[in-house]
Amino acid sequence: MTRILLTGFEPFAGNKVNPTERIVEVFEGRHELVTHVLHVEFDKARTQLKTVLAQTEPDAVLALGLDANSEQVKLERVALNLADSTKPDNAGEQPVDQPLEPGGPAARFSSFNWRRIVEQLHSVEIPATSSLSAGTYVCNAVLYTLLGYTESHPHAVGGFMHVPPLERIDLDTQVRATEIALYELDRTIHAAHTSKPA
Ligand code: PCA
């Protein structure tokens, strides 16, 4: 049985609602899916994520976050080993020019099939694009951490999807976008399993 971890975030920095918390609620309890809402705190979010990864050992991880400035869904391809914040996180921390993992690689690349997800989203007319920067705030920290997990579990795939505020893309459409991304992650895992020599 495959297991997929889906994460979202609580509200932060003046955004009253974080659509990703709502999306995760919709998927809660689904078969083969583990869901978790992360704090918007550099330290706590990474600790929470590491704990749930160790407990569940998922085959795939899809993390979701709000990009308040975006008009479309963004499939993040890169995480930087950098915490550099222009606004405090929910614990009041505001790191400047800090490595997330001293001595860790400068960047990690997402291992999900972002290209195919963008194509599939376009095919149902959901505005979407790939992105080469998840920023240097908590979402980037979470992506960097989750890609550390997939690096040390080569069978696993992972990536990050930023969504816009609900005024730009409604919740149903964001849920649909998440469904499509999860379906593609599942496909990738199964393709890897079936291509392995017996
Ligand atoms: N978006 C923030 C952190 C939490 C979230 O939903 C970000 O883009 O870093």
Side-chain angles (χ1 to χ4, degrees), residues 103-167:
R108 289 179 175 140
F109 293 105
S110 294
S111 51
F112 66 168
N113 195 345
W114 56 268
R115 196 185 301 274
R116 170 131 179 129
I117 297 170
V118 170
E119 281 168 11
Q120 293 302 307
L121 293 174
H122 286 170
S123 76
V124 293
E125 287 168 17
I126 297 177
T129 187
S130 63
S131 158
L132 286 167
S133 173
T136 50
Y137 193 52
V138 181
C139 288
N140 173 71
V142 160
L143 179 56
Y144 189 84
T145 304
L146 89 79
L147 294 177
Y149 168 82
T150 54
E151 242 171 50
S152 57
H153 295 72
H155 72 280
V157 291
F160 194 100
M161 192 165 91
H162 263 123
V163 297
L166 295 174
E167 303 78 59

Side-chain angles (χ1 to χ4, degrees), residues 6-153:
L6 175 69
T7 69
F9 281 105
E10 65 184 1
F12 67 103
N15 302 292
K16 285 206 181 68
V17 171
N18 193 327
T20 65
E21 185 173 35
R22 301 269 179 90
I23 297 170
V24 165
E25 275 165 23
V26 171
F27 284 91
E28 229 172 69
R30 286 241 191 137
H31 188 55
E32 299 191 347
L33 208 58
V34 178
T35 56
H36 205 85
V37 176
L38 300 169
H39 291 285
V40 183
E41 297 178 28
F42 278 95
D43 288 340
K44 211 182 246 179
R46 284 180 291 161
T47 309
Q48 274 183 295
L49 180 65
K50 283 182 187 161
T51 304
V52 71
L53 287 170
Q55 281 166 353
T56 56
E57 298 233 312
D59 305 290
V61 187
L62 178 65
L64 304 173
L66 167 66
D67 179 348
N69 297 316
S70 185
E71 311 248 313
Q72 50 188 341
V73 173
K74 285 163 53 186
L75 284 303
E76 301 295 349
R77 296 178 56 183
V78 185
L80 297 177
N81 189 7
L82 180 64
D84 190 38
S85 179
T86 54
K87 51 187 183 280
D89 68 12
N90 284 355
E93 297 296 322
Q94 192 170 346
V96 175
D97 275 350
Q98 295 293 314
L100 291 165
E101 290 180 18
R108 289 179 175 140
F109 293 105
S110 294
S111 51
F112 66 168
N113 195 345
W114 56 268
R115 196 185 301 274
R116 170 131 179 129
I117 297 170
V118 170
E119 281 168 11
Q120 293 302 307
L121 293 174
H122 286 170
S123 76
V124 293
E125 287 168 17
I126 297 177
T129 187
S130 63
S131 158
L132 286 167
S133 173
T136 50
Y137 193 52
V138 181
C139 288
N140 173 71
V142 160
L143 179 56
Y144 189 84
T145 304
L146 89 79
L147 294 177
Y149 168 82
T150 54
E151 242 171 50
S152 57
H153 295 72

